[in-house]
Amino acid sequence: MQWTKRPIGCAVLMIVLAGCNLPPTASDELPPGMAHLRQAPAGSDFDAFFKEATAESELFRRRLLAGSESDFVSADLLAEAILKFRRQAPQHLKGRKGIDGFKLSGEMIVEAIAGRKRVSSRRAYGGFEGKWYGLWDKMSVDHHWSEIAEPDKPLRVEINGDESVWIRSHQYCWVGDGYGLNMIATGNPNSQSGDFLLGYVVHVENGDLTRPTKRRPHVGVFVDEGKLIWITAGEVFLEESYEISASLEAYAITGFFYKVKDNILRTTQCFQAVYTREPDKRPEWFSFPLELQVSR
């Protein structure tokens, strides 16, 4: 197994890589496309993180699709909430980055979570590569997104000894108070369809990778080039990379926090954060009052 960038080492019993016979990566080397990132697990630490990220986010995706828990969100409930947010949020976003480009139906959202179509790594993640600077609430945050790493063959990861998933590509990120992965996965590596987006973030204390404070699995929805929706167990993020002007790139995160109780989803806060390529240009965090409620 060879990488298009540089090989990741294999950790025995940590991650199952199809056809992998490479020696372990030296502990001071970073995974492919991550050389510019200081905050990255390396060597066998990265292999363990890769397996954890894949397994936890895939289990989260399965829970969304099962939809059998009254106090846990389901894919169809989220789809309805996202559509309602897309209809009602624009009145609060006048003069700010809009979300008109997120044109999709509830069925399309559920199908994306289920993995019904092939997804291009470049179209999904390419627009977010590099360094970004913004404000999250009152905190200055630097986001660093690596190049997209694509193995010659998809990487197989066993999920709790159950069915496997295969990772076609991934992108590492540092998100200000932690690190994570965006992945494009499939349940059938020989299929030309059936991709789904997985993500995972580990938050750490004071930038110290050895002191994790929280782990958050994500499931993604590819909307269009440079437009993604990321879902966690308490948040929805509509993310879009775009140009503010000919000389200033940006990406916006517009979304909401939510809670689910007795099959009812309620938003607790709605917001927008905008990041630019320039550390001295950090647009203000914007919070707006929009109370949404959907039930099943």
Side-chain angles (χ1 to χ4, degrees):
M1 185 277 292
Q2 294 293 324
W3 289 88
T4 55
K5 299 294 183 183
R6 189 174 65 189
I8 293 179
C10 304
V12 178
L13 300 180
M14 297 297 277
I15 180 169
V16 181
L17 304 182
C20 185
N21 57 5
L22 297 170
T25 305
S27 61
D28 60 347
E29 288 188 15
L30 295 178
M34 304 177 194
H36 69 288
L37 295 168
R38 290 179 300 169
Q39 307 97 331
S44 61
D45 289 338
F46 181 80
D47 293 341
F49 166 60
F50 189 95
K51 180 180 184 295
E52 174 190 330
T54 304
E56 293 300 322
S57 55
E58 170 60 6
L59 291 172
F60 174 57
R61 187 182 75 93
R62 294 181 186 184
R63 288 182 73 186
L64 291 179
L65 292 170
S68 58
E69 302 170 59
S70 63
D71 294 338
F72 189 82
V73 73
S74 64
D76 56 349
L77 194 64
L78 273 169
E80 186 177 348
I82 290 168
L83 295 183
K84 200 167 187 178
F85 178 76
R86 191 191 65 184
R87 290 193 300 268
Q88 297 187 26
Q91 62 182 310
H92 299 277
L93 296 172
K94 293 178 181 179
R96 299 180 180 274
K97 176 59 180 171
I99 54 174
D100 295 341
F102 289 83
K103 297 177 180 178
L104 69 176
S105 66
E107 182 181 3
M108 291 168 64
I109 294 172
V110 175
E111 286 186 349
I113 295 171
R116 302 282 170 79
K117 294 183 179 180
R118 189 70 181 266
V119 178
S120 160
S121 302
R122 177 56 49 185
R123 296 191 72 215
Y125 298 143
F128 300 96
E129 287 182 350
K131 298 184 178 183
W132 302 90
Y133 307 92
L135 296 173
W136 189 261
D137 201 349
K138 297 179 180 180
M139 180 176 66
S140 291
V141 174
D142 298 350
H143 281 193
H144 297 175
W145 298 85
S146 77
E147 299 170 3
I148 299 165
E150 297 183 279
D152 291 341
K153 294 182 179 180
L155 309 182
R156 181 167 67 92
V157 181
E158 292 181 352
I159 310 298
N160 287 350
D162 192 4
E163 297 179 3
S164 298
V165 297
W166 284 259
I167 304 302
R168 295 191 190 275
S169 63
H170 72 267
Q171 180 184 44
Y172 181 87
C173 61
W174 174 258
V175 293
D177 66 343
Y179 58 93
L181 283 176
N182 293 338
M183 296 166 280
I184 292 182
T186 181
N188 182 357
N190 299 315
S191 173
Q192 293 303 308
S193 62
D195 290 348
F196 43 89
L197 274 59
L198 302 177
Y200 194 67
V201 173
V202 178
H203 296 275
V204 299
E205 186 174 343
N206 297 324
D208 185 347
L209 271 64
T210 66
R211 300 167 68 184
T213 59
K214 187 177 182 181
R215 289 171 162 81
R216 292 160 62 232
H218 294 54
V219 170
V221 174
F222 172 72
V223 179
D224 202 346
E225 186 164 1
K227 297 183 182 71
L228 302 172
I229 299 174
W230 284 109
I231 296 161
T232 76
E235 303 138 321
V236 170
F237 308 111
L238 282 66
E239 303 191 6
E240 179 177 0
S241 61
Y242 65 103
E243 290 185 352
I244 293 179
S245 66
S247 60
L248 186 61
E249 293 180 80
Y251 89 84
I253 305 174
T254 310
F256 56 88
F257 300 107
Y258 71 86
K259 292 183 178 180
V260 177
K261 182 71 174 178
D262 297 329
N263 293 313
I264 300 173
L265 181 152
R266 294 183 174 89
T267 58
T268 58
Q269 183 186 11
C270 300
F271 56 84
Q272 183 176 83
V274 177
Y275 294 74
T276 78
R277 296 289 192 185
E278 301 183 21
D280 60 345
K281 293 183 179 179
R282 301 175 186 259
E284 289 293 324
W285 163 271
F286 177 59
S287 178
F288 55 96
L290 176 57
E291 295 183 3
L292 301 176
Q293 178 176 310
V294 296
S295 61
R296 60 174 181 235

